[in-house]
Amino acid sequence: MDKEKLIDQYAERLPKRIIQDVKAHLPKNCDTKRLKKIMEAVVSEYEDTLAEPGESVGLVAAESIGEPSTQMTLRTFHFAGVSEMNVTMGLPRVIEVLDARKTLSTPMTEIYLKKPYSDGKDIKKISQRIKERKLKEFVKEISINIVENTVKIDLDKKKIEEYEQTHINILKLVDKAAKGFKTKQEGDTIFIDTVKEDNLNEIYKLKEKIKNLYFCGIKNITQVLPIQRGDEFLIVTAGINLKEILKLDFVDTFRTKSNDIYEMRRVFGIEAARQSIINEVTAMFESQGIDIDIRHVMLVADMMTNTGEIMGINRTGIVKDKSSVLARASFETPIKHIIQAAMSGEEDYLSSVIENVMINQPVPLGSGLPKLIANFDNQKNKR
Amino acid sequence: MADVYLDFKFIGEVKKPKEFISRIVTERKAGDLPTHLNAEYDKNVDAVFIEISKGRAVRPLLIVKDGKISLTNRHLEQLEKGEISWSDLIKQGIIEYLDASEEENALVAYWPEAITSEHTHLEIAPLSIVGLCTSLVPFGNHNHGVRNAQGAKNQKQALGFYAANFFTRMDMDLSLLHYPQVPIVETIMHDISNYNIHPSGQNVTVVIMTHSGYNMEDAIVVNQGSVDRGMGRSSYYRPVAAEELRYSGGLIDEICIPDKEVKGYKTEHDYRFLEDDGIVFPEAKVKEEDVIIGKTSPPRFLNAMDEYNLATSSRRESSLALKHGEQGIIDFVMVTENEEGNKLVQVRMRDLKIPEIGDKFTSRHGQKGVISLLVPEHDIPFFASGIKPDIIFNSHSLPTRMTISHIIELLGGKVGAFSGRNINSTLFEGEGEKDLREELKQYGLKDNGTETVYDPITGEEMTTRVFVGNMYYMKLRHMVSNKLHARGRGPIQLLTRQPTEGRAKEGGLRLGEMEKDTFVAHGSSLLLKERFDSDKVTVPICDKSGLIGYFDARKNKMISPVHGEDSIMTTVEISYAFKLLLDELRSMGIYPMVRTEQKF
């Protein structure tokens, strides 16, 4: 147990996690002399990776992400034939994430499944349960009879049975949509009495409304695609409704995720949103064969989420929160910021980089950061 | 029934559209309809479109009927004798013009051999798939398309003999190549465009090899001996013009040697080239700051008394002098009048440009590069025959660009040089590589174009043979002497007190936003501050009002704009641009208050 003690001596110099790792991976035949050497090497390696005080990590992150992005341009490699879904990839997707767009060009959910289903059991059936279906898919015909003043809905019983949706009271559904009209059901046919309405246009509108009535499945999910990733089956959907999806019994709630960071924020919280920003951005760069240190992306994700709300990297997001007027004005829409600052009598303490560049003063970074402080009172007391 | 549209206006219907079209075509051939009338039957919309409007691109094609070309040997003989011309061929219905829409229903063959019974037309020459400039690229059919386009683009920038009357012209920013030559390896388009009377390059001996690393990254190593003998030499011409403008009140500029009383008089030395009429004399060797046309102007603002006191003293100097870095020889002086009857003086300057390190050259294959080294003739590698190359071209420029035509031109040029004839290199129709190789053997040369080289310094034979040949090289208009620029100190802008921009104004080289970021990323903040010190000012700031004050030298005191002498003033070092920003904010009605604190 000599070794354990020796390792624990480094507790102050190394984080817990690294010490645990060293303990776990230590070879059995390692003597104390070699262990000491190893620990010293670990410490120097660890200290090498630390950012020094006054290092401009933000700018280095910006350059480290920005430079490869320009090389990525708008050209993107496509995965030919793997999935039929058209997904935004490459730089446009990275911009979408970092700008924190509210509406995505391709909203998607990746649904992971619980054990028997993840092996491919009933995969087709359950994926069909997820897709949003409208009434028109379960109807043979909807016709308007002008002479008898009725709208006739011919239900497709066979299809309803096929999808196991016999429990739905269709008459009630139609009744809700056709407010103020009398409805009745005769076998597989529903009649809507339209005597009191003589505007044919309104009747036509009513028919369209009934056609697009929500029938079953999960709302907003317009497309489902079961795919196999490695040994596991999962379902990829176009459209997002995490709350409802997570209610399904066959869904693995621990791994199911969406590519909409706002949806992740709503359903799982801000930490999940931060992690999904990191995941989305790194995945996008990795797919293009570009290697970016994850710490740069983590820093960006931290900046976007540290207030508890998601803020994009633009003038309505994190730049808006800058304390310096000059820094905000130097980014975008300068006149707006200056006038607003003047009206509220804002003060600028010139504490950040860009303001100091503007007035030609040393920026508080690197060699410009340290200040000499002498406590004269203390000196006097000693004498 | 198919609708008929004339220039996209509905004019009627026809029952049998296809027959209708063929009738139009036969009538056009017969000369009953205009040659530039085109008709097309669109099956998808079942309509006939006839067009006769201006602005459509039309192109001539040979007519083919039942697999036979209408052009016969008899026509060719007659053409050669000059008995018939182009327009006769059109009248006889041998050539017709097609526009884009009529081409839809035509099947055009590139070669006479390729004609089948289904073809309707034959290309006059396969060359016509490219434009004039691109067809000047020799052996272009061996290339990647992009390289042909780039080769064509580079040729447009080449210096040459653009017009024979250059001596009487006053062209702006113009260069003339000395000793221009007609290319040995030529195309049909060189003939058609009369390239031999306005050539723009020279035939040089090129060896494909490296030379001590000096020709890496597309650079070329040039033989100093060739330069001394006149290769790539050119003259650069530039006009300088001045006119006597008229101002209100009957005042007028005067072209003369300015009087010493004149406001803004330079020095006597600056005016030394002017003759009595105030204009330089031809063949004067002028340098920067020298006055070329002496001129004085009336004062800008007249106050009431000045009107009676128009002595020379109130006139100001407005001579035309050479700007920073310019030099040359006065070539031509012209005194005339402009449209308004004002006296107009134009002076043309000439400058000899001998190739130097940094001048840009190109072959005709998009292989441009700058001179990186001029090697004295005795240090240039030489071949067994005693020949020394003019240009050493780097072999690494070839594999990635895949300009096979570059290599074939070298081969062709070599054959041409030995046989004393021109080599045809027209697109798709040029002489074959095989034939050229065969011919090369006749002159006792290796058919692969390689030769033995000797190291000029040790005199030893080099271990490998290198590829040598002759090709057409062009000097491009980008010459370093017109671009070279650097400054330590120099003029600043009036408004921002930052350095001026651009070579003509002796400007500084901007350390831009992204360059600034690199300093920040390195944390070298004091170096960054020093870089931006170009508009540094020390201003006194009033502690009470927070406004920028000034120093009154008479009282030897700092003055606050609000509190006068009754405030404590602190001096602060800021950029003048920031002071300007504060001033502009004040002009907007915003009160920017600067609060100072002790730094140390």
Side-chain angles (χ1 to χ4, degrees):
Chain A
M1 281 305 99
D2 239 18
K3 291 179 199 167
E4 290 265 324
K5 251 187 195 167
L6 188 85
I7 295 173
D8 288 335
Q9 278 174 10
Y10 287 88
E12 275 181 21
R13 295 168 73 184
L14 292 171
K16 250 187 200 160
R17 176 75 188 275
I18 291 178
I19 288 185
Q20 276 170 14
D21 275 2
V22 172
K23 279 180 184 169
H25 292 94
L26 204 62
K28 272 182 189 153
N29 56 353
C30 179
D31 55 35
T32 37
K33 212 173 167 189
R34 274 179 71 193
L35 180 64
K36 182 126 192 167
K37 249 185 186 173
I38 291 170
M39 288 315 290
E40 285 304 321
V42 169
V43 168
S44 87
E45 189 76 12
Y46 171 69
E47 282 173 354
D48 258 5
T49 60
L50 288 177
E52 283 162 33
E55 191 169 332
S56 40
V57 281
L59 203 138
V60 173
E63 282 185 345
S64 304
I65 297 173
E67 194 272 340
S69 298
T70 55
Q71 293 189 8
M72 202 153 79
T73 59
L74 296 171
R75 194 172 59 112
T76 316
F77 308 125
H78 296 281
F79 307 102
V82 175
S83 84
E84 280 173 40
M85 232 171 253
N86 182 25
V87 188
T88 330
M89 298 286 290
L91 194 60
R93 174 66 190 149
V94 175
I95 292 169
E96 205 172 69
V97 174
L98 297 185
D99 267 0
R101 299 257 169 86
K102 285 240 160 78
T103 47
L104 303 181
S105 52
T106 46
M108 265 173 48
T109 321
E110 262 176 32
I111 303 172
Y112 286 85
L113 303 168
K114 277 183 186 159
K115 194 65 207 195
Y117 301 101
S118 65
D119 296 332
K121 189 196 167 206
D122 294 340
I123 188 87
K124 246 190 177 156
K125 209 169 133 199
I126 55 173
S127 57
Q128 288 307 325
R129 268 180 68 190
I130 294 169
K131 193 180 175 184
E132 177 181 358
R133 291 184 188 279
K134 305 245 161 92
L135 186 62
K136 64 180 172 190
E137 289 178 55
F138 299 91
V139 154
K140 275 182 193 150
E141 194 189 13
I142 300 182
S143 54
I144 302 169
N145 193 332
I146 303 167
V147 185
E148 289 171 20
N149 276 321
T150 51
V151 174
K152 198 175 113 191
I153 305 165
D154 261 333
L155 295 174
D156 189 346
K157 256 275 152 58
K158 229 176 164 183
K159 204 167 179 194
I160 294 171
E161 267 162 27
E162 192 187 320
Y163 281 89
E164 297 172 0
Q165 300 296 337
T166 42
H167 58 280
I168 293 174
N169 188 344
I170 299 168
L171 184 66
K172 218 175 175 182
L173 219 73
V174 174
D175 203 38
K176 233 180 184 178
K179 252 182 197 157
F181 296 102
K182 274 181 194 162
T183 53
K184 61 174 177 181
Q185 186 163 14
E186 285 173 14
D188 286 351
T189 326
I190 294 173
F191 292 99
I192 305 171
D193 193 8
T194 55
V195 177
K196 63 169 199 175
E197 182 68 65
D198 16 88
N199 190 347
L200 194 65
N201 222 356
E202 289 297 317
I203 297 168
Y204 183 75
K205 265 186 197 164
L206 178 71
K207 181 191 148 194
E208 288 301 305
K209 198 177 166 189
I210 287 164
K211 255 169 120 181
N212 284 318
L213 272 181
Y214 163 74
F215 187 73
C216 66
I218 291 169
K219 271 186 186 172
N220 268 339
I221 307 296
T222 54
Q223 215 181 331
V224 279
L225 192 74
I227 60 165
Q228 192 177 11
R229 194 171 291 169
D231 295 332
E232 197 178 4
F233 281 90
L234 51 134
I235 300 169
V236 178
T237 71
I240 290 171
N241 195 345
L242 264 189
K243 239 179 199 166
E244 293 300 317
I245 286 171
L246 292 178
K247 280 179 192 165
L248 296 168
D249 52 351
F250 53 81
V251 169
D252 182 354
T253 48
F254 288 101
R255 291 188 294 159
T256 296
K257 63 188 180 190
S258 153
N259 71 343
D260 183 353
I261 49 175
Y262 284 97
E263 181 80 2
M264 296 295 279
R265 160 82 183 80
R266 271 193 297 275
V267 179
F268 296 115
I270 193 72
E271 283 298 329
R274 172 185 172 274
Q275 192 57 46
S276 69
I277 291 171
I278 296 169
N279 290 349
E280 290 287 327
V281 173
T282 45
M284 232 17 79
F285 281 113
E286 252 163 43
S287 75
Q288 305 293 309
I290 292 169
D291 186 35
I292 291 178
D293 195 308
I294 193 165
R295 286 175 292 176
H296 299 311
V297 185
M298 281 161 78
L299 183 70
V300 172
D302 284 343
M303 281 308 293
M304 288 174 71
T305 51
N306 65 9
T307 57
E309 288 300 324
I310 297 162
M311 292 188 299
I313 309 215
N314 50 41
R315 64 165 185 273
T316 52
I318 62 166
V319 178
K320 202 178 173 185
D321 267 29
K322 284 199 176 192
S323 61
S324 162
V325 196
L326 293 174
R328 267 180 284 138
S330 73
F331 185 68
E332 269 170 26
T333 57
I335 295 166
K336 197 180 104 191
H337 285 296
I338 286 170
I339 290 175
Q340 258 169 24
M343 286 197 294
S344 57
E346 251 181 74
E347 224 165 310
D348 193 323
Y349 294 99
L350 306 176
S351 53
S352 166
V353 177
I354 189 74
E355 308 95 275
N356 283 293
V357 172
M358 280 167 87
I359 65 167
N360 197 20
Q361 293 291 322
V363 289
L365 272 174
S367 57
L369 188 66
K371 300 260 156 62
L372 192 64
I373 297 171
N375 194 337
F376 287 102
D377 294 341
N378 249 349
Q379 291 287 320
K380 259 182 214 164
N381 291 345
K382 267 187 188 169
R383 273 175 202 169
Chain B
M1 294 292 260
D3 295 347
V4 181
Y5 296 86
L6 177 64
D7 283 339
F8 298 102
K9 272 187 200 130
F10 179 74
I11 51 165
E13 290 178 318
V14 286
K15 266 186 189 155
K16 294 174 179 166
K18 280 194 177 158
E19 281 161 37
F20 179 67
I21 296 275
S22 62
R23 232 185 90 199
I24 287 179
V25 172
T26 43
E27 278 185 33
R28 183 177 63 199
K29 271 182 206 165
D32 296 334
L33 286 171
T35 48
H36 287 76
L37 181 141
N38 291 101
E40 180 215 3
Y41 172 61
D42 192 334
K43 258 192 279 179
N44 301 320
V45 291
D46 191 31
V48 174
F49 295 99
I50 306 171
E51 277 199 76
I52 194 158
S53 57
K54 288 175 183 176
R56 290 168 300 136
V58 293
R59 63 196 205 96
L61 289 170
L62 286 167
I63 294 168
V64 172
K65 210 169 183 189
D66 304 327
K68 270 188 184 167
I69 317 164
S70 42
L71 188 80
T72 60
N73 283 335
R74 225 181 78 89
H75 289 119
L76 294 174
E77 278 165 29
Q78 279 179 313
L79 274 171
E80 230 161 276
K81 280 179 198 160
E83 288 168 15
I84 55 168
S85 65
W86 178 263
S87 52
D88 293 311
L89 291 178
I90 295 166
K91 271 180 207 157
Q92 289 177 30
I94 288 159
I95 288 171
E96 66 180 353
Y97 287 99
L98 295 197
D99 74 345
S101 66
E102 196 167 332
E103 230 179 342
E104 280 302 297
N105 292 326
L107 184 60
V108 185
Y110 276 118
W111 303 96
E113 299 86 62
I115 291 174
T116 64
S117 58
E118 279 172 21
H119 281 95
T120 59
H121 293 88
L122 172 67
E123 207 73 68
I124 292 170
L127 186 69
S128 61
I129 65 163
V130 294
L132 191 150
C133 288
T134 313
S135 47
L136 293 178
V137 177
F139 301 110
N141 47 319
H142 294 271
N143 276 351
H144 193 179
V146 175
R147 290 291 147 189
N148 287 341
Q150 284 173 350
K153 220 170 154 187
N154 288 341
Q155 287 193 60
K156 292 178 194 169
Q157 299 180 1
L159 305 184
F161 189 70
Y162 75 111
N165 65 343
F166 70 92
F167 203 70
T168 57
R169 291 166 65 124
M170 279 285 185
D171 288 304
M172 192 70 198
D173 185 37
L174 166 97
S175 284
L176 263 188
L177 182 70
H178 296 194
Y179 318 113
Q181 292 176 356
V182 175
I184 295 173
V185 180
E186 57 166 26
T187 70
I188 287 181
M189 200 49 86
H190 285 95
D191 258 353
I192 298 171
S193 63
N194 287 330
Y195 201 83
N196 59 336
I197 61 166
H198 57 86
S200 56
Q202 287 161 332
N203 294 297
V204 295
T205 306
V206 176
V207 56
I208 297 185
M209 64 185 280
T210 54
H211 188 271
S212 60
Y214 268 99
N215 55 1
M216 62 185 186
E217 294 290 335
D218 277 350
I220 52 171
V221 173
V222 173
N223 183 346
Q224 178 71 55
S226 316
V227 172
D228 293 344
R229 275 174 242 119
M231 188 190 93
R233 209 167 270 232
S234 64
S235 288
Y236 178 68
Y237 291 91
R238 203 162 41 82
V240 177
E243 64 177 310
E244 289 188 343
L245 285 172
R246 286 167 198 280
Y247 302 90
S248 59
L251 298 169
I252 189 167
D253 285 342
E254 194 191 350
I255 291 174
C256 62
I257 302 176
D259 199 273
K260 279 186 184 167
E261 313 287 296
V262 152
K263 221 184 271 174
Y265 186 80
K266 297 183 175 178
T267 59
E268 220 166 305
H269 181 260
D270 288 334
Y271 300 104
R272 70 191 183 283
F273 290 115
L274 302 189
E275 292 192 317
D276 290 344
D277 59 358
I279 309 169
V280 263
F281 56 88
E283 299 304 320
K285 285 184 182 168
V286 286
K287 288 211 165 68
E288 56 186 17
E289 316 264 286
D290 288 341
V291 174
I292 291 181
I293 302 168
K295 198 172 82 172
T296 61
S297 301
R300 239 175 236 151
F301 308 104
L302 284 176
N303 44 38
M305 284 310 288
D306 277 350
E307 220 167 307
Y308 308 101
N309 180 26
L310 283 182
T312 42
S313 60
S314 65
R315 289 182 76 84
R316 68 199 156 84
E317 134 83 86
S318 58
S319 300
L320 272 139
L322 279 193
K323 281 179 192 141
H324 174 74
E326 292 180 333
Q327 56 155 17
I329 298 163
I330 303 302
D331 192 53
F332 182 62
V333 177
M334 184 178 72
V335 182
T336 180
E337 270 181 3
N338 69 5
E339 302 94 332
E340 289 149 26
N342 296 338
K343 186 179 180 185
L344 175 74
V345 177
Q346 281 192 307
V347 175
R348 188 173 65 202
M349 269 179 30
R350 147 169 63 87
D351 196 8
L352 180 65
K353 302 277 186 190
I354 300 166
E356 56 179 320
I357 290 173
D359 281 359
K360 199 173 175 185
F361 283 76
T362 185
S363 71
R364 291 179 286 179
H365 315 272
Q367 291 279 16
K368 56 179 189 273
V370 293
I371 299 180
S372 60
L373 183 68
L374 287 162
V375 183
E377 191 157 29
H378 52 77
D379 281 343
I380 277 271
F382 58 91
F383 310 120
S385 57
I387 288 177
K388 292 176 178 176
D390 299 307
I391 287 171
I392 303 178
F393 179 89
N394 194 325
S395 43
H396 294 100
S397 305
L398 290 169
T400 50
R401 283 76 182 274
M402 295 185 279
T403 50
I404 307 305
S405 65
H406 192 273
I407 303 167
I408 303 179
E409 192 196 336
L410 277 169
L411 203 70
K414 203 170 187 179
V415 172
F418 274 94
S419 63
R421 65 181 176 93
N422 284 77
I423 307 294
N424 179 13
S425 66
T426 312
L427 192 70
F428 300 118
E429 294 168 306
E431 291 180 33
E433 181 214 337
K434 227 177 195 176
D435 299 342
L436 292 172
R437 279 180 159 218
E438 273 315 302
E439 201 174 336
L440 212 51
K441 279 187 198 163
Q442 294 172 20
Y443 307 112
L445 296 162
K446 273 232 171 189
D447 73 330
N448 61 10
T450 59
E451 277 176 45
T452 316
V453 245
Y454 292 91
D455 186 329
I457 294 163
T458 62
E460 282 170 9
E461 186 184 326
M462 287 189 183
T463 42
T464 49
R465 298 166 66 84
V466 292
F467 188 75
V468 194
N470 295 76
M471 75 186 311
Y472 201 56
Y473 245 82
M474 298 163 156
K475 188 185 189 184
L476 300 182
R477 55 194 293 188
H478 309 284
M479 284 164 282
V480 261
S481 57
N482 291 333
K483 298 189 172 186
L484 188 74
H485 171 61
R487 89 167 208 179
R489 281 154 286 158
I492 52 164
Q493 281 166 11
L494 198 66
L495 183 71
T496 59
R497 293 204 192 165
Q498 285 171 1
T500 51
E501 203 183 317
R503 185 181 118 103
K505 284 177 262 172
E506 211 194 334
L509 299 166
R510 187 181 167 83
L511 186 107
E513 191 89 348
M514 296 175 92
E515 289 77 14
K516 176 215 83 184
D517 286 350
T518 62
F519 283 86
V520 176
H522 276 88
S524 44
S525 69
L526 294 163
L527 178 61
L528 174 68
K529 184 197 171 283
E530 214 166 277
R531 279 272 107 191
F532 284 134
D533 270 353
S534 63
D535 63 340
K536 182 175 79 176
V537 281
T538 315
V539 288
I541 286 173
C542 170
D543 274 8
K544 277 187 190 168
S545 64
L547 292 174
I548 294 169
Y550 59 93
F551 176 71
D552 190 332
R554 223 180 318 173
K555 295 176 186 163
N556 198 21
K557 257 186 178 166
M558 312 273 197
I559 310 292
S560 161
V562 182
H563 304 283
E565 295 176 38
D566 303 334
S567 176
I568 303 162
M569 305 291 281
T570 319
T571 50
V572 169
E573 223 175 63
I574 56 167
S575 63
Y576 189 83
F578 185 66
K579 191 217 157 236
L580 184 71
L581 175 74
L582 296 180
D583 290 345
E584 285 184 1
L585 288 178
R586 284 220 305 278
S587 75
M588 287 167 71
I590 294 170
Y591 179 4
M593 195 184 212
V594 180
R595 223 176 268 159
T596 55
E597 72 183 39
Q598 275 300 322
K599 206 182 203 173
F600 305 108

